[in-house]
Amino acid sequence: RAAQALDSFHRQWLGLSSLESSFKDPARFPQWSPQLAKTMQSEIQAFTRNIFLEGDGKVSSLLGAPFSFLNADLAKIYGISGVAGSELRKVDLDPSQRAGLLTMPGLLAAASEPSVSNPFKRGKLIYEKVLCQKLEPPPVVPPLPTPDASNPQPVRKVLETMTGGPPCSACHQLINPFGFGLGNFDAIGQYSTSDEAGFPVDASGTLSDGSTFSTPGELAAALGKSADVRACLTKQWFRFGLGHAESEAD
């Protein structure tokens, strides 16, 4: 029952219930299937069970442990050789690329579009779910400029330009650093050093407490050390356990 509660908590907390029905562009991601999505869910379950029921149960481990549980299909997504069969088994990962829950393909795929990654969805997820912060409803957004096909630019530069001024900047300055910090991962969570336009990925950023990062692993480590993140996880477990948001009486 404890294991089932862990599974339910992480599925609800991170919005993973829609993963298996997610559509991905078959032209770009022919390997995507409902079975692969289900395996990604199973990976998250195996990892979180290990952290809480066998490991130290710390937030720093949940968001920073350099290992996961893979089978042959998932190992291809990770770009790791030597993993055979359909059963999940513990595999060490490159800590500069992957670290804990936030760099797992299931979460990254759920917070992406059918054919491209979406740093705004990923940033919003971290800001709201991992830091327990609220975003105001988005304002009426004016038409965005059409990218100049004759002058391609890095994806991050294009998106920063689009969201750098009012009315977008008020929220995007809060969520963009997290989303860009996960910019190495495509729409199904595969790692790459190049963005969708073929330019080198810039995954660097700064958190509100002054912590800096330049890789997804460093972002995960910084969040894992954050007192704000630990406080948020406490709130999320409280809400899950008691079935309501905290109030002054609590």
Side-chain angles (χ1 to χ4, degrees):
R1 282 163 51 191
Q4 291 172 357
L6 283 170
D7 299 344
S8 180
F9 169 77
H10 290 95
R11 186 169 59 251
Q12 293 181 46
W13 171 43
L14 299 171
L16 299 174
S17 58
S18 63
L19 178 60
E20 291 179 36
S21 60
S22 296
F23 172 79
K24 299 296 178 182
D25 183 355
R28 292 204 63 188
F29 306 109
Q31 67 273 60
W32 181 260
S33 68
Q35 180 57 46
L36 180 60
K38 185 176 181 180
T39 303
M40 290 179 177
Q41 285 267 31
S42 298
E43 175 196 11
I44 293 173
Q45 290 178 356
F47 176 79
T48 53
R49 288 185 181 192
N50 178 272
I51 293 296
F52 284 102
L53 301 180
E54 300 176 33
D56 59 18
K58 293 183 178 180
V59 173
S60 57
S61 298
L62 182 69
L63 301 185
F67 64 83
S68 191
F69 293 81
L70 313 181
N71 64 8
D73 291 338
L74 269 179
K76 293 177 183 177
I77 302 298
Y78 276 82
I80 294 175
S81 60
V83 179
S86 59
E87 296 297 318
L88 298 176
R89 64 180 179 87
K90 189 175 181 180
V91 177
D92 292 330
L93 307 175
D94 181 344
S96 69
Q97 297 180 9
R98 308 270 185 176
L101 201 56
L102 299 181
T103 61
M104 290 189 173
L107 182 143
L108 296 163
S112 293
E113 304 300 334
S115 59
V116 296
S117 61
N118 187 324
F120 305 148
K121 277 188 178 181
R122 294 173 179 178
K124 182 174 183 288
L125 183 146
I126 293 175
Y127 189 73
E128 293 187 331
K129 301 294 187 179
V130 182
L131 287 165
C132 292
Q133 300 298 308
K134 283 188 176 182
L135 290 173
E136 295 298 323
V140 177
V141 179
L144 298 176
T146 302
D148 184 357
S150 65
N151 182 31
Q153 300 287 330
V155 171
R156 176 168 179 167
K157 182 177 181 180
V158 172
L159 296 179
E160 285 180 328
T161 300
M162 286 182 174
T163 61
C168 305
S169 58
C171 288
H172 280 276
Q173 65 180 342
L174 302 173
I175 64 175
N176 284 7
F178 302 118
F180 292 139
L182 298 174
N184 289 100
F185 302 107
D186 66 15
I188 64 170
Q190 297 177 119
Y191 182 89
S192 175
T193 56
S194 301
D195 65 19
E196 280 97 353
F199 291 90
V201 171
D202 177 7
S204 63
T206 304
L207 302 184
S208 60
D209 64 1
S211 302
T212 60
F213 57 88
S214 57
T215 67
E218 290 178 4
L219 169 60
L223 290 170
K225 296 174 183 176
S226 168
D228 292 336
V229 172
R230 292 196 296 273
C232 179
L233 263 289
T234 303
K235 285 184 180 180
Q236 298 289 12
W237 271 106
F238 177 92
R239 295 166 181 172
F240 175 78
L242 294 182
H244 65 78
E246 64 280 0
S247 66
E248 286 300 321
D250 297 314

